[in-house]
Amino acid sequence: MDRRKNPYAPGAGIQPPALAGRDQLLADAQIDMERVLARRPVKSLMLLGLRGVGKTVLLNRMKADADNLDFQTAKIEAPEEGTLPQLLIPELRRILFSLDLIARAGKKLRQAMGALRNFGSAFRVSVGEIEIGMTPTPGVADTGNIEQDMPQLIIALCEAAAERNTAIGLFVDEVQYLSPRELAALVLACHETAQRNLPLFFVGAGLPQIAALAGNAKSYAERLFNYPGIDKLPPEAAREALTAPARKEGAAFESDAVEEILRVTERYPYFIQEWGYHVWNSAPKSPVTKHDVESAYPAIISHLDANFFRVRFDRLTVLQQKYLRAMAELGPGPHKTGDIAATLGVDATSVATVRQQLIDKGMIWSQRHGETAFTVPMFDRFMKRQIKVLEKHVPRRRKPALPRPL
Ligand SMILES: Nc1ncnc2c1ncn2[C@@H]1O[C@H](COP(=O)(O)OP(=O)(O)OP(=O)(O)O)[C@@H](O)[C@H]1O
Ligand SMILES: [Mg+2]
């Protein structure tokens, strides 16, 4: 069909042509934001889900909704390497400048400027010029201890927003890559602003292990946040995600073609976009048939292998790859950690480090103690395609020292 009209949007964080199945969540967030503006208490949100379920898209949508309500918003993506202050400071600086545009600098705004400058110098990040009638704010956000400074800075920022009758929206993606102290600092900041009834709407997003990480950082995190699970789409929403964009272009899928795509994508949003995109390009005409879907299958799988899966695989060491291959041997999972080690031919303690490295890289996670699961849907089948035969792991032993010559 006409490639110029292809409506699908496979990618990372790209708004889909039809954002299906998330209406309730977005409506709930909208109500929360209006409550924040009215200075009523709300819980912060942590959107949890596997790769490609649509967390970033939701985060971006919520940010846009907050912008429409005239929130002052900042969005950052936690990097695998790098620090939170580096990313946060330019965004907060931008917010302070736009608060200044709303009206002449007030007392709280000047204090927040001072707090930001202190925070910048405590964490050795250049803040640039901030001169809006700034007065120094000694003793605020300047200790170099992020768990102390971050809440103070966010409080100062929220007070400045409150002074302007507006609110702050803070959106943090890939939260699992924050260091434990950075995460604790953010949780604390949310906690303290909530206690002071300050206007902050915080939304985090990332892999499902965040719930446990936040709980480890601060035990009250459980009560401070709502953790909506973002998952594969329910069947009706998955059909809508696939068929609505085609309908808008005057094209259609036969119903068994739709069901076949739902089956092979397992209703994961990212895969629905990929299948929609490729099948659209390869099908000769509308309506798309089940046969069109089946014929496109091998090309789509090679495309996914070469792109989506491969980039993740290439970042791994040989031993990490072997660990995942052993998991794949057992199926999609989750699996008992002991069974994975046994499949590798070793005991669990000898691969505990490699397992932890894979968790830190966001490749696997553990829902329950002693269990391990992939964070990337369908990764088990990719691993089997990539490494045909599972090799047992032989831990390297030190060579025994040669006997000394007599
Ligand atoms: N509700 C939805 N309906 C249809 N398509 C969607 C939906 N949500 C996301 N998508 C599509 O799925 C793809 C992945 O979305 P997104 O990047 O937001 O996922 P993610 O959960 O952030 O993944 P990752 O963990 O890898 O960052 C995008 O192409 C997006 O357009
Ligand atoms: Mg994302």
Side-chain angles (χ1 to χ4, degrees):
M1 300 198 289
D2 187 346
R3 299 177 66 156
R4 277 162 295 203
K5 292 194 175 156
N6 192 328
Y8 297 96
I14 302 179
Q15 279 298 317
L19 182 60
R22 309 293 190 214
D23 293 353
Q24 187 61 51
L25 196 62
L26 288 167
D28 291 348
Q30 178 80 21
I31 292 196
D32 279 353
M33 289 185 242
E34 291 178 23
R35 285 180 62 91
V36 168
L37 285 173
R39 305 288 290 272
R40 293 182 189 277
V42 299
K43 285 191 176 182
S44 300
L45 279 183
M46 279 285 188
L47 310 174
L48 305 183
L50 303 182
R51 292 286 178 205
V53 289
K55 302 176 295 296
T56 302
V57 153
L58 276 172
L59 199 75
N60 290 342
R61 244 320 258 284
M62 288 179 186
K63 179 182 178 302
D65 291 345
D67 287 330
N68 283 336
L69 287 172
D70 283 335
F71 273 62
Q72 298 298 318
T73 59
K75 190 197 149 196
I76 57 169
E77 182 182 322
E80 259 191 273
E81 322 273 324
T83 69
L84 185 59
Q86 266 168 350
L87 288 170
L88 209 50
I89 284 175
E91 284 292 298
L92 300 190
R93 179 173 183 265
R94 192 180 44 70
I95 287 186
L96 288 175
F97 273 111
S98 54
L99 283 176
D100 182 55
L101 291 179
I102 298 176
R104 254 192 64 239
K107 182 163 161 262
K108 295 288 183 194
L109 180 64
R110 285 199 303 273
Q111 285 171 355
M113 294 282 184
L116 184 67
R117 201 169 72 167
N118 292 348
F119 190 74
S121 61
F123 292 93
R124 297 193 181 77
V125 180
S126 153
V127 178
E129 286 304 303
I130 38 177
E131 286 305 336
I132 311 166
M134 208 198 68
T135 42
T137 316
V140 178
D142 63 356
T143 65
N145 173 354
I146 195 158
E147 289 185 47
Q148 232 169 305
D149 294 349
M150 175 79 82
Q152 288 182 358
L153 175 63
I154 302 290
I155 286 169
L157 189 77
C158 289
E159 283 177 341
E163 193 181 50
R164 295 281 185 273
N165 292 321
T166 177
I168 302 290
L170 189 54
F171 299 85
V172 181
D173 205 357
E174 304 283 2
V175 169
Q176 72 281 350
Y177 290 141
L178 293 175
S179 73
R181 298 200 65 209
E182 289 172 344
L183 182 57
L186 272 185
V187 174
L188 257 169
C190 291
H191 188 47
E192 304 231 339
T193 46
Q195 281 176 3
R196 287 170 174 74
N197 196 21
L198 285 167
L200 174 71
F201 185 56
F202 175 89
V203 188
L207 296 175
Q209 60 257 42
I210 296 172
L213 292 177
N216 291 345
K218 294 284 166 218
S219 56
Y220 52 75
E222 215 172 280
R223 278 161 288 141
L224 194 61
F225 290 96
N226 279 330
Y227 295 95
I230 315 299
D231 206 346
K232 53 173 77 173
L233 296 173
E236 207 36 62
R239 281 184 201 109
E240 185 65 11
L242 180 70
T243 57
R247 210 162 42 237
K248 270 193 219 148
E249 296 298 331
F253 288 78
E254 287 184 355
S255 67
D256 54 356
V258 174
E259 295 315 306
E260 178 62 6
I261 293 182
L262 262 52
R263 188 183 71 78
V264 288
T265 58
E266 297 178 13
R267 311 192 307 272
Y268 279 106
Y270 167 68
F271 294 121
I272 292 177
Q273 296 300 328
E274 283 287 7
W275 253 268
Y277 183 81
H278 289 279
V279 169
W280 176 286
N281 284 351
S282 62
K285 62 178 184 351
S286 171
V288 173
T289 65
K290 184 177 180 193
H291 175 73
D292 295 334
V293 176
E294 286 166 347
S295 336
Y297 185 84
I300 301 177
I301 292 293
S302 338
H303 171 83
L304 288 174
D305 282 3
N307 297 282
F308 181 69
F309 293 123
R310 183 89 217 183
V311 287
R312 298 188 154 84
F313 181 84
D314 285 346
R315 292 168 49 230
L316 305 172
T317 66
V318 173
L319 183 53
Q320 290 166 353
Q321 291 173 355
K322 260 194 188 174
Y323 190 92
L324 296 184
R325 179 61 182 83
M327 277 177 75
E329 191 71 9
L330 299 168
H335 304 296
K336 291 214 178 82
T337 307
D339 291 351
I340 302 168
T343 311
L344 266 175
V346 293
D347 66 274
T349 47
S350 63
V351 283
T353 314
V354 72
R355 178 173 177 273
Q356 188 56 48
Q357 290 163 348
L358 285 165
I359 291 178
D360 293 344
K361 282 194 173 171
M363 294 302 303
I364 56 176
W365 71 294
S366 176
Q367 181 162 27
R368 267 175 287 276
H369 185 69
E371 256 187 24
T372 305
F374 291 105
T375 57
V376 185
M378 303 188 199
F379 209 74
D380 58 314
R381 275 169 275 167
F382 164 75
M383 284 308 297
K384 283 184 166 170
R385 289 193 292 273
Q386 202 62 31
I387 303 178
K388 296 270 181 309
V389 184
L390 168 72
E391 276 179 43
K392 300 268 177 199
H393 175 53
V394 187
R396 255 195 270 157
R397 291 235 162 80
R398 283 226 193 110
K399 280 191 195 148
L402 290 173
R404 285 207 179 145
L406 290 171

